[in-house]
Amino acid sequence: MKLLRPSTPNYDNFDLLATLVAVVSPQGQCLFVNSAFEDQIGLSRRSLVGGNLPQWFVLPRQLQETLAAVARNDYSSGRFDAQLRRLPGAQPEALPVHVIVNQTDSPDRVIVEMIEIEQQTRQDREERALDQAQANKELIRNLAHEIKNPLGGIRGAAQLLQMELQSRELTEYTQVIVQEADRLQALVDRLLAPHRKPHVVGDVNIHEVCERVRALILAEFPRGLSVQRDYDTSLPEFRGDREQLIQAVLNIAHNAAQALTQRIADGDARIVLRTRVTRQVTIGKTRYRLALELHIEDNGPGVPESIRDRIFYPLVSGREGGSGLGLTLAQTFVQQHQGTIECDSTPGQTVFKILIPLP
C-alpha cells in the first residue's frame, strides 16, 4: 500500500499545540503526528507514521468505528473518552484522554485530537484561578480606595480632637484611633502593593532565591526546624523579577513554618525546597518546552479542608491572627511570570508547586 504523506506546511502548526494530534486514513493509518503525541507515546514521528493509530488505544474498536463513520459522512465529528497506551515503563502506561475525531477537506484523511483529561482538568482549574485573581485584583483595588478616603478623615479628626482635649485619659482614646487607622492604612497599602510596584526584570537564578528564603526562615526559626535543599543544578537562569519571586517563595515558606509550631517544639519540623526541570508542560493554554518546577514541602498538619479551595483568596487564613494576604500575593507574583501555583495538602505533607516557563 502506498503511504500517503501530507505536505509539511499543512501540518506544521499542529506542533505548536499542547494537545495530541494525529492525521490518519479512514482505516487508522498514521499519516502525521505532532510533537505532543511523540512526547506522550515516547516514540519519534518517523516510528509512528505509517503505523496503526487504534493499536495505541487500550480499546481500539471505538476509534475504528468512529473513524469509519466520520469518513462515511455519517457525522462530521465524534467524541469519546479513551485510554491511550504508552511505551512500557512510562508512568502512567495508560493515559486517559478525550478523543475528538473530525473530517478534513480530503475524504482520505481524518484528524484525531486527544486531550489529556488531567490536563483539561488542570487547564480549567488554572483558568478559574486566573479569572478569580483578576476579580480579586479589581475588588481589592476598589475596596482599598473606598477605605482610604474615610480612613484619612477619621485619623485627621482624631488628631484635631486630641489637640483640643486637656485630659490625658481622653487623649489615650484618640491615640488608639490614630494607631488603628495607621494599622488599617498599612493593611490597605499591602493590598495595593503588588499592583503599584513595577515589574523589575533581570536574570534570575532560582537557587539564589531559595537560598535567600532559607536564610530568612532559619534566622526566624533557628531551633527545631530543618530547611532541606533538593536542587537540580542543571536549571538555567531565566528572566524575571528576583524580589517578587523571593517574596512569593518566602510567603509560602513562612506560612509553612508557622503551621509547624508543634513540630518545631518537638524538634522534627521540616521544610523542603525542591527544584526540577519539567518538559513539555502546558500552562494555561500555552505549551512550553521547558519549565521550572519548584516545590515547597512541609510535614505540618496540612491545610484545613474548610479553606483548601480558597487559600489563594484574599483575607482567607487558616491561622488565627493571619492577614490572609501572603498566598494571594504569592499567586499574583507567580502569575506575573506566566506561571501557576497549586497546593496539594494532606495531614503530614503539604506541597506548594510553582511552575514557571523557562527559555
Side-chain angles (χ1 to χ4, degrees):
M1 180 173 59
K2 183 179 179 181
L3 180 63
L4 297 173
R5 290 186 180 273
S7 57
T8 302
N10 291 341
Y11 301 114
D12 277 352
N13 287 338
F14 287 150
D15 283 332
L16 304 177
L17 296 178
T19 55
L20 287 62
V21 177
V23 180
V24 301
S25 70
Q27 295 75 37
Q29 180 193 19
C30 284
L31 310 175
F32 172 88
V33 296
N34 73 342
S35 57
F37 191 96
E38 289 181 286
D39 294 333
Q40 284 295 352
I41 295 296
L43 287 175
S44 69
R45 183 174 302 169
R46 181 175 296 180
S47 301
L48 291 165
V49 168
N52 184 260
L53 180 64
Q55 75 176 7
W56 289 101
F57 283 72
V58 174
L59 299 173
R61 183 173 178 179
Q62 190 168 16
L63 177 60
Q64 292 168 337
E65 292 176 349
T66 305
L67 287 172
V70 169
R72 289 194 307 267
N73 204 28
D74 293 350
Y75 41 80
S76 61
S77 179
R79 292 171 175 261
F80 58 91
D81 291 338
Q83 297 274 331
L84 186 65
R85 296 182 191 276
R86 302 167 80 194
L87 287 180
Q91 295 296 327
E93 287 193 6
L95 183 70
V97 291
H98 180 68
V99 183
I100 306 170
V101 181
N102 285 310
Q103 292 178 336
T104 68
D105 293 337
S106 175
D108 59 357
R109 295 176 186 176
V110 180
I111 291 180
V112 181
E113 182 179 14
M114 292 148 280
I115 305 171
E116 299 172 50
I117 291 176
E118 181 182 347
Q119 173 187 314
Q120 185 63 51
T121 303
R122 187 173 64 249
Q123 284 181 2
D124 292 342
R125 187 168 61 244
E126 289 173 2
E127 286 181 15
R128 287 196 302 271
L130 286 170
D131 291 342
Q132 184 63 51
Q134 185 61 34
N136 289 342
K137 179 179 176 180
E138 294 301 322
L139 173 64
I140 288 170
R141 183 178 291 168
N142 293 335
L143 183 61
H145 285 298
E146 289 297 322
I147 292 172
K148 286 187 72 173
N149 291 334
L151 200 57
I154 292 169
R155 190 183 192 282
Q159 288 178 316
L160 290 173
L161 182 60
Q162 184 174 314
M163 293 169 62
E164 298 296 326
L165 293 174
Q166 303 298 321
S167 168
R168 181 176 178 182
E169 288 78 10
L170 293 177
T171 58
E172 288 180 359
Y173 294 126
T174 58
Q175 288 171 3
V176 168
I177 296 172
V178 171
Q179 289 167 1
E180 288 302 293
D182 288 342
R183 185 177 66 82
L184 289 174
Q185 179 65 57
L187 178 61
V188 169
D189 288 341
R190 285 190 65 197
L191 285 168
L192 290 174
H195 312 302
R196 283 176 168 172
K197 294 181 179 178
H199 196 49
V200 181
V201 176
D203 290 333
V204 177
N205 182 318
I206 193 59
H207 299 129
E208 291 179 0
V209 170
C210 291
E211 286 300 294
R212 174 77 177 277
V213 170
R214 183 175 183 273
L216 291 170
I217 293 296
L218 288 177
E220 185 174 350
F221 302 90
R223 295 183 180 83
L225 173 62
S226 166
V227 182
Q228 300 175 2
R229 309 174 178 96
D230 183 4
Y231 297 161
D232 181 349
T233 55
S234 69
L235 272 162
E237 291 188 347
F238 59 96
R239 301 290 288 174
D241 188 320
R242 183 173 180 271
E243 294 305 316
Q244 282 191 355
L245 290 173
I246 288 174
Q247 192 63 56
V249 179
L250 179 61
N251 286 358
I252 298 169
H254 194 263
N255 276 8
Q258 291 179 322
L260 288 165
T261 302
Q262 184 57 51
R263 284 195 173 273
I264 289 175
D266 296 339
D268 63 351
R270 183 183 73 253
I271 294 175
V272 181
L273 301 175
R274 180 179 297 109
T275 61
R276 293 290 185 271
V277 174
T278 184
R279 291 173 171 78
Q280 302 300 335
V281 64
T282 302
I283 301 176
K285 293 184 177 179
T286 306
R287 192 169 185 85
Y288 297 95
R289 187 176 61 87
L290 293 175
L292 156 70
E293 188 171 299
L294 169 61
H295 289 187
I296 301 104
E297 179 183 325
D298 69 73
N299 63 339
V303 178
E305 190 172 350
S306 59
I307 64 167
R308 201 166 290 170
D309 295 333
R310 301 180 291 118
I311 56 173
F312 295 108
Y313 290 10
L315 308 180
V316 173
S317 176
R319 179 174 54 85
E320 186 176 347
S323 67
L325 293 177
L327 293 180
T328 303
L329 294 177
Q331 184 187 56
T332 299
F333 292 147
V334 170
Q335 287 177 346
Q336 287 178 357
H337 289 79
Q338 288 74 53
T340 64
I341 178 171
E342 296 180 346
C343 176
D344 182 18
S345 183
T346 56
Q349 184 183 51
T350 297
V351 181
F352 281 85
K353 182 174 78 171
I354 295 173
L355 274 177
I356 294 177
L358 291 174

